[in-house]
């Protein structure tokens, strides 16, 4: 077992934290799953801030009709990179950070299966992020193509597009390597007695997510490679003049894209499935059905991609198939929501910050699921496609869903990771401010969409003015509330109160029951025995 | 040690899977083309398969409008008639003029599009310059025909159809030996 990290120089199998390399080398050369997890989480948070600034530029421009602050080209670029940075830079790395920190501890392994590949997976991220940021300063500015990078706009965009494509390639490689690591750790390195069906649900959700990633990230890489060769090497994949078809891009993109939304959502399900039982002081209701529901969501997610393309031109039979298949996903999703609620039923509940965020997730993610169902109905979607209704839908599932779940996870595990407690009062403030401002920002966008306001535009008709102003105020409030989160985390790390050995009495996975607080630098030198 | 070997084996398998999925992305291209071909979607630059109903519907008039653009080409491209009034089922021929005003010989490919979009399948083109790539020497001009029949099953609410062509450059095609239209 120790062989995995035994031959990295300077990392001999020390069982004392004292041996860990100091200074910058500890991070740059790190092969330790906890240090790498920490770096993932900080990287994710800094990208969250960058993407957040872009969002505020967008919302500030939309505060009033007319063009006040930015030019349309720059606005479009903000739309593109806000989406890309939040999806690939903030949300995905955040959950990979959780995976790194938690999976080895939860399955009783000493570290990840391939510690040096783990280091590489992380260190690919900063250059990719840099490419996305530098793209803004290319001649012609950032590519105003939207995060979906649709052809033919993307095949005609300026040089920023090339940087963006390379960034996607690098991010894809990072994700694939990270996923290989996670799958191998979970399948091969579990402690004796830790059968698959005894694993904490978080590990299950990541196992499934990692398979999704290995399956679809290469498809996205293929799609952007085709865009690149269309741009520079005279191929005609998406170029109508040469017999190609821009709609083909949409099919390939969404073949990746719909599983991608579950790549974002499923680890969030995992975190919530750890948090809710802990604060209900009851085991998770319907563990096995949770595993099966997650797996069926993952499988179904490959068969519904064209619900993003109802208006792109499709035979009505295909529309009907994609509509029914999409609606079908609501069944396993409903099973999960039912199980979370049933876990709380007759539990002895307490409402510390992690639980609050998990409950926020539960309510708002479900709402986002409902608007998803509305959108999956073809005749409705023909009306709502590319309006703010879609923007509201996916922010409910991605912000109030995935991001809230990440907050729940941070508050939940921060005491384990740092040995210090966060400030409960400030944590609650962070939750309520986030909850309220989130809804102020995005709830009104449903109305805007229903009234016909298109998405991805810098200016709009006067009748949309009030709701846009409200939404922009909400966005600023939400953004500022996240600075409070940064403050809380820094304060916890530097001067938080010492955390008790087991701060949450209901928590029952190995990292809580078998390891001291704070978790030692190396987890399980000798595997624990799980009964 | 045993574990490490098992880990490596798993890494190899997963890497092969990832590479295969990269290939799968490209395999979607011919797959998509096949589906379009089999279902008859998107055959814009191929002659219509057959016209089932050639009964001319004298009771109905539809206005066909024509539009022509050159995308990034210094070509002068316009319809000879801006619009014609036609009966569904009637065989119609119209013409377009094109001239290369640029300083290089170029092969172009015209791509049709229709407004309203859902009228597209009812415009059955028998003959069209868009079925072929069009090489034009410097200063060369051509008059090119389009022959079509409006299918008489055209929905009753469609009274005007705009047929718009855009010429694109076919990069890398030798001007001397332009091939027949794209794959569709
Ligand atoms: C019951 C579950 C869900 C259903 C039925 C559903 C359905 C849909 C449909 C039909 C659309 C297309 C709307 C349009 O463009 O006109 C859509 C868009 C979207 N959904 Fe969902 N969805 C569900 C869950 C999720 C989840 C869990 C996420 C992510 C965490 C998500 C993220 C997105 C995103 C990002 C878009 C917009 C993509 C874009 O055009 O940029 N959805 N959803
Ligand atoms: Cu989808």
């Amino acid at each position: 077992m120790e062989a995995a990290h035994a031959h990295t120089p300077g990392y001999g199998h020390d069982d004392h934290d004292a041996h860990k390399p100091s200074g910058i080398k500890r991070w740059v050369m790190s092969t330790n799953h906890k240090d790498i997890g920490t770096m993932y989480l900080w990287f994710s948070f800094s990208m969250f801030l960058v993407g957040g600034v872009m969002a505020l530029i967008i919302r500030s421009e939309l505060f009033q009709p007319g063009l006040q602050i930015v030019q349309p080209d720059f606005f479009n670029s903000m739309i593109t990179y806000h989406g890309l940075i939040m999806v690939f830079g903030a949300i995905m790395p955040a959950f990979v950070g959780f995976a790194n920190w938690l999976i080895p501890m939860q399955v009783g392994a000493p570290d990840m299966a391939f510690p040096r590949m783990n280091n590489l997976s992380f260190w690919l991220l900063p250059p990719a992020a840099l490419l996305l940021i530098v793209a803004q300063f290319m001649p012609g500015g950032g590519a105003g193509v939207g995060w979906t990078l649709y052809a033919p706009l993307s095949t005609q965009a300026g040089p920023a597009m090339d940087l963006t494509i390379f960034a996607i390639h690098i991010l894809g490689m990072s994700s694939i390597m990270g996923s290989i690591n996670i799958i191998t750790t979970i399948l091969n390195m579990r402690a004796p007695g830790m059968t698959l069906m005894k694993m904490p649900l978080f590990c299950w959700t990541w196992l499934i997510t990692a398979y999704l990633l290995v399956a679809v990230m290469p498809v996205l890489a293929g799609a952007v490679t085709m865009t690149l060769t269309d741009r520079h090497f005279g191929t005609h994949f998406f170029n109508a003049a040469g017999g190609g078809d821009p709609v083909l891009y949409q099919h390939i993109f969404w073949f990746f894209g719909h599983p991608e939304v579950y790549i974002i959502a499923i680890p969030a399900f995992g975190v919530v499935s750890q948090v809710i039982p802990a604060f209900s002081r009851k085991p998770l209701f319907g563990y096995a059905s949770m595993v099966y529901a997650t797996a069926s969501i993952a499988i179904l997610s490959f068969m519904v991609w064209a619900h993003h393309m109802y208006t792109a031109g499709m035979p009505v039979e295909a529309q009907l198939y994609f509509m029914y298949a999409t609606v079908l996903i609501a069944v396993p999703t409903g099973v999960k929501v039912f199980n979370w609620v049933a876990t709380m039923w007759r539990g002895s509940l307490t409402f510390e910050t992690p639980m609050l965020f998990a409950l926020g997730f539960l309510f708002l993610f479900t709402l986002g699921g409902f608007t998803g169902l509305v959108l999956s109905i073809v005749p409705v979607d023909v009306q709502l496609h590319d309006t703010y209704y879609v923007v509201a839908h996916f922010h409910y599932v991605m912000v109030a869903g995935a991001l809230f779940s990440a907050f729940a996870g941070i508050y939940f595990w921060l005491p384990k990771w740092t040995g210090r407690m966060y400030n409960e009062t400030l944590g609650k403030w962070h939750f309520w401010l986030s909850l309220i401002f989130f809804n102020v920002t995005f709830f009104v966008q449903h109305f805007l969409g229903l009234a016909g306001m298109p998405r991805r535009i810098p200016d709009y008709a006067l009748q949309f003015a009030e709701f846009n102003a409200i939404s922009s105020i909400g966005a600023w409030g939400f953004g500022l509330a996240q600075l409070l989160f940064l403050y809380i985390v820094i304060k916890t790390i530097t001067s938080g109160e010492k955390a008790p050995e087991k701060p949450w009495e209901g928590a029952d996975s190995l990292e809580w029951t078998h390891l001291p607080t704070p978790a030692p630098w190396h987890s399980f030198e000798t595997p624990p025995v799980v009964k | 040690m045993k574990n490490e070997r098992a880990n490596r084996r798993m890494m190899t398998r997963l890497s092969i899977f990832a590479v295969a999925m990269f290939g799968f992305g490209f395999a979607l291209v011919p797959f998509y083309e096949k589906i379009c071909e089999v279902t008859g979607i998107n055959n814009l630059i191929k002659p219509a398969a057959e016209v089932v109903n050639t009964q001319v519907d004298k009771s109905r008039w539809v206005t066909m409008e024509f539009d022509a653009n050159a995308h990034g080409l210094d070509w002068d491209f316009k319809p000879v008639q801006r619009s014609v009034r036609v009966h569904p089922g009637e065989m119609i021929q119209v013409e377009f003029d094109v001239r290369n005003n640029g300083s290089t010989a170029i092969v172009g490919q015209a791509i049709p599009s229709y407004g309203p979009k859902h009228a597209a399948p009812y415009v059955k083109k028998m003959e069209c310059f868009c079925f072929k790539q069009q090489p034009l020497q410097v200063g060369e001009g051509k008059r090119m025909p389009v022959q079509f029949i409006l299918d008489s099953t055209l929905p009753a609410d469609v009274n005007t159809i705009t047929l718009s062509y855009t010429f694109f450059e076919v990069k890398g095609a030798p001007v001397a030996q332009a091939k027949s239209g794209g794959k569709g």
Side-chain angles (χ1 to χ4, degrees), chain B residues 2 14 25 36-37 52 73 87 91-92 96 118 124 134 142 149 151-152 184:
Chain B
K2 185 172 127 282
L14 289 168
C36 288
E37 197 183 304
V52 253
L73 292 177
H87 293 301
M91 172 79 83
I92 306 290
F96 284 71
H118 62 266
K124 307 277 188 191
Q134 301 289 346
K142 275 192 204 168
I149 294 177
D151 198 299
S152 9

Side-chain angles (χ1 to χ4, degrees), chain A residues 254 257-259 261-262 304-305 307-308 326 393:
Chain A
W254 288 114
H258 190 80
V261 308
Y262 282 99
V304 298
W305 74 90
H307 64 215
H308 295 273
T326 304
H393 157 66

Side-chain angles (χ1 to χ4, degrees), chain A residues 147-148 150 254 258 261-262 264-265 269 307-308 310 326-327 329-330 333 365 368-373 375-377 381 384-386 390 393-394 397-398 402 455-456:
Chain A
W147 82 282
T148 48
Y150 274 9
W254 288 114
H258 190 80
V261 308
Y262 282 99
I264 287 169
F269 297 164
H307 64 215
H308 295 273
Y310 287 144
T326 304
V327 172
I329 293 201
T333 314
F365 179 84
F370 278 137
T371 55
L373 276 175
L375 289 170
S376 61
I377 310 301
D381 186 68
L384 294 179
H385 178 64
D386 272 346
V390 176
H393 157 66
F394 67 73
V397 279
M398 307 231 273
R455 66 190 280 209
R456 295 175 170 163

Side-chain angles (χ1 to χ4, degrees), chain A residues 52-71:
Chain A
V53 167
M54 293 175 164
L56 290 182
I57 293 173
I58 294 169
R59 277 314 328 166
S60 301
E61 177 55 54
L62 293 174
F63 182 61
Q64 288 181 344
L67 290 180
Q68 282 89 25
I69 301 174
V70 296
Q71 290 305 306

Side-chain angles (χ1 to χ4, degrees), chain A residues 212-482:
Chain A
L212 282 182
L213 275 166
V214 182
V216 299
M217 286 311 282
V219 176
L220 175 66
V224 295
T225 306
M226 292 178 212
T227 309
L228 191 72
T229 58
D230 269 12
R231 287 167 61 79
H232 297 297
F233 305 111
T235 57
H236 297 123
F237 291 106
F238 311 132
N239 182 351
D245 188 345
V247 176
L248 169 63
Y249 176 85
Q250 298 188 22
H251 280 287
I252 304 178
F253 180 85
W254 288 114
F255 184 85
F256 148 83
H258 190 80
E260 167 67 17
V261 308
Y262 282 99
I263 285 165
I264 287 169
I266 291 177
F269 297 164
V271 169
V272 168
S273 304
Q274 302 302 121
V275 172
I276 290 183
F279 293 91
S280 307
R281 293 161 183 79
K282 271 178 66 192
L284 184 67
F285 183 88
Y287 173 90
S289 69
M290 280 304 221
V291 172
Y292 297 130
T294 313
S296 16
I297 291 177
I299 292 166
L300 283 174
S301 76
F302 285 102
M303 308 197 258
V304 298
W305 74 90
H307 64 215
H308 295 273
M309 306 172 50
Y310 287 144
T311 58
M314 225 193 287
V316 76
E317 295 82 2
Q319 290 182 326
L320 285 175
Y321 159 74
F322 282 109
M323 172 166 113
Y324 293 132
T326 304
V327 172
L328 199 60
I329 293 201
V331 177
T333 314
V335 169
K336 301 193 72 101
V337 172
F338 178 87
N339 285 348
W340 288 319
V341 175
T343 304
M344 291 187 286
W345 178 254
R346 302 209 159 163
S348 44
L349 303 180
T350 51
F351 299 95
E352 287 89 344
T353 310
M355 183 62 163
L356 290 177
F357 271 108
L359 289 175
F361 165 95
L362 192 53
F363 277 94
L364 298 179
F365 179 84
T366 307
L367 202 77
F370 278 137
T371 55
L373 276 175
V374 172
L375 289 170
S376 61
I377 310 301
V378 176
V380 181
D381 186 68
V382 168
Q383 179 75 20
L384 294 179
H385 178 64
D386 272 346
T387 69
Y388 260 82
Y389 194 89
V390 176
V391 178
H393 157 66
F394 67 73
H395 283 91
Y396 269 79
V397 279
M398 307 231 273
V399 177
L403 183 67
F404 275 25
S405 148
F407 284 144
I410 296 281
Y411 285 110
F412 187 61
W413 278 291
L414 206 54
K416 184 88 239 169
W417 296 343
T418 63
R420 293 170 188 276
M421 272 319 262
Y422 63 89
N423 182 321
E424 190 61 58
T425 317
L426 288 182
K428 290 207 163 94
W429 268 98
H430 175 221
F431 169 72
W432 287 107
L433 289 174
S434 297
L435 182 81
I436 291 168
F437 283 120
F438 171 80
N439 281 295
V440 172
T441 312
F442 293 107
F443 199 76
V444 293
Q445 294 186 357
H446 292 112
F447 305 138
L448 286 172
L450 289 167
M453 177 170 161
R455 66 190 280 209
R456 295 175 170 163
I457 50 158
D459 186 9
Y460 48 82
L462 291 178
Q463 73 264 32
F464 304 128
E466 283 81 7
F467 284 140
N468 271 297
I470 295 172
S471 180
S472 294
I473 293 168
W476 273 95
F478 188 84
L480 294 176
Q482 305 322 312

